[in-house]
Amino acid sequence: MIHLPSFEIIELNKEILSSDNFNNDVIVASVEGAHFPSENPDNLYTSSPLRINAVMFILVLQGTAKVGIDFTLHTLMKPSLLMIMPTHTIQVYSRSEDFKAKLLILSQNFLDECSSIKTPPSATLYMQLRKNPYVLLEPEDATLLNDYMKLFINKIRLKNHLFQPEVLRNTLIGFTLELGNILVGKESIPKQAVLTRKEEILQHFLELLLMQCKSEHGVNFYAEKLCITPQYLSFILKELTGKSASKWIDEALLLEAKVLLKTPNSTIQQVADVLNFSDQSTFGKFFKKYMGISPMEYRKS
């Protein structure tokens, strides 16, 4: 059995040219357009998807970038904030040459130690951002969050401080409370709208797909779980999204395949097993149908 690949926080630090780092638990960095791949934003299968074993805040200060989070393409622009969690699958498609952003990267271990951020309002904030990871900011709010990034840097540089971990944890608590005030208090995150029956089915389908796509490839499974017919499920998805149920399932499965193929030391057969294909040949045909190359060729690319 292989695990879903994730980009460890220490690897993230290696990819950033300049940063301030506390024990690979807290990283603050500035990034520019040159640090991101310049790819065709209309081809959703050109960049390699990955998951990050950390929580990352991206504060966009200048320029634009196109980033995919799970099944949604976001166009990042100033001033805005993108929050990426370990459960998110991320792909970077393109960026403008003048793109600039600040990153705050927090390891899972560090977050686990900050037990107080699990209490309201931060727990509520976390759940809202999990479903709505990208939000536009007012200029003054972006300035406030940027100031907190600088505050993290100042605390990271206190090398001789006897209580540096505690100081950083308190800084994080302050950051999350300010973020909560910005996003919840000022209603920057849209409130849950009243959904139609069809929209509810779409939402529940996508939730099921995220959890089950590796093991369940058939439309019948999802339709049964939603207590509707396969034909009606495909009709709703086609009407609301332009894609049939089988197309959604195949695209989700392909995304998982691309992530798994980047796992070090895993075999093609192991990937096929994790994705519940009957054999490696069937998996290879499925992958080549969409990608135009074999799983092995994709891994080497």
Side-chain angles (χ1 to χ4, degrees), residues 20 26-29 57 59 61 81 102-106 137 140-157 167-182:
D20 286 87
V26 182
I27 296 173
V28 182
F57 295 91
L59 179 62
L61 302 174
L81 183 74
K102 284 284 186 64
L103 304 185
L104 172 61
I105 308 168
L106 306 164
L137 300 171
E140 60 270 21
D141 295 331
T143 298
L144 176 61
L145 295 182
N146 194 20
D147 288 343
Y148 255 94
M149 301 282 193
K150 296 174 183 177
L151 183 59
F152 271 107
I153 292 173
N154 291 336
K155 303 307 180 186
I156 290 172
R157 293 177 180 178
V167 168
L168 282 167
R169 283 195 286 270
N170 283 329
T171 305
L172 175 58
I173 292 169
F175 175 81
T176 57
L177 290 174
E178 291 292 355
L179 186 57
N181 180 64
I182 291 170

Side-chain angles (χ1 to χ4, degrees), residues 222-238:
Y222 297 95
E224 183 178 336
K225 288 291 184 182
L226 295 168
C227 301
I228 58 177
T229 66
Q231 294 79 9
Y232 188 53
L233 175 59
S234 281
F235 170 77
I236 290 172
L237 294 177
K238 190 75 173 177

Side-chain angles (χ1 to χ4, degrees), residues 39-93:
E39 301 180 8
N40 180 2
D42 297 322
N43 186 349
L44 299 187
Y45 298 122
T46 56
S47 59
S48 297
L50 57 89
R51 291 191 177 98
I52 300 170
N53 191 23
V55 171
M56 179 189 297
F57 295 91
I58 303 177
L59 179 62
V60 181
L61 302 174
Q62 183 175 306
T64 61
K66 290 188 181 294
V67 177
I69 302 294
D70 294 333
F71 300 120
T72 305
L73 180 66
H74 297 280
T75 300
L76 311 187
M77 60 187 69
K78 69 166 189 178
S80 61
L81 183 74
L82 178 68
M83 182 176 177
I84 301 169
M85 301 183 185
T87 52
H88 283 139
T89 300
I90 180 172
Q91 292 174 278
V92 178
Y93 301 126

Side-chain angles (χ1 to χ4, degrees), residues 235-250:
F235 170 77
I236 290 172
L237 294 177
K238 190 75 173 177
E239 179 181 303
L240 295 182
T241 71
K243 294 188 291 188
S244 66
S246 59
K247 182 69 171 177
W248 270 104
I249 294 167
D250 284 352

